[in-house]
Amino acid sequence: MLPHQFFKLLSDETRVRSLLLIAREGGICVGELTEAIQESQPKVSRHLAQLRAQGLVRDERRGQWVYYHLANDLPGWAKKVIDDIAASNCLKTQYQDDLQRLQRMNRAACCD
């Protein structure tokens, strides 16, 4: 993946919010993402498909649920950018509501 392709993917807020939650949680199911970012399942799935097609995330099916994780073979520079964005205090504040919704939800009931 070339840098311009990577940053083009990050130009969409739904993809950035999803990627941040995936990076912070280590793995998250589509149901959890839809609840956390308050977007429809088809929209979230469409954006996750773009991230997967470009190799940023990988999916894992567990029964009826699909979990997303950061790809293991990300280029070092891309992994560093994602880690830096996820660790950013200003973005934690900006997307605090996403994290709070994720923490409040009954995650076991969502994706088990």
Side-chain angles (χ1 to χ4, degrees), residues 1-11 77:
M1 173 188 325
L2 296 172
H4 73 276
Q5 295 166 317
F6 176 78
F7 289 108
K8 186 174 181 179
L9 283 170
L10 296 183
S11 70
W77 61 266

Side-chain angles (χ1 to χ4, degrees), residues 20-21 24 83-100:
L20 288 175
L21 287 171
R24 288 182 181 148
D83 289 345
D84 288 349
I85 292 171
S88 167
N89 284 330
C90 65
L91 290 179
K92 283 181 186 173
T93 301
Q94 181 70 29
Y95 298 120
Q96 185 64 37
D97 290 344
D98 294 351
L99 292 169
Q100 289 174 349

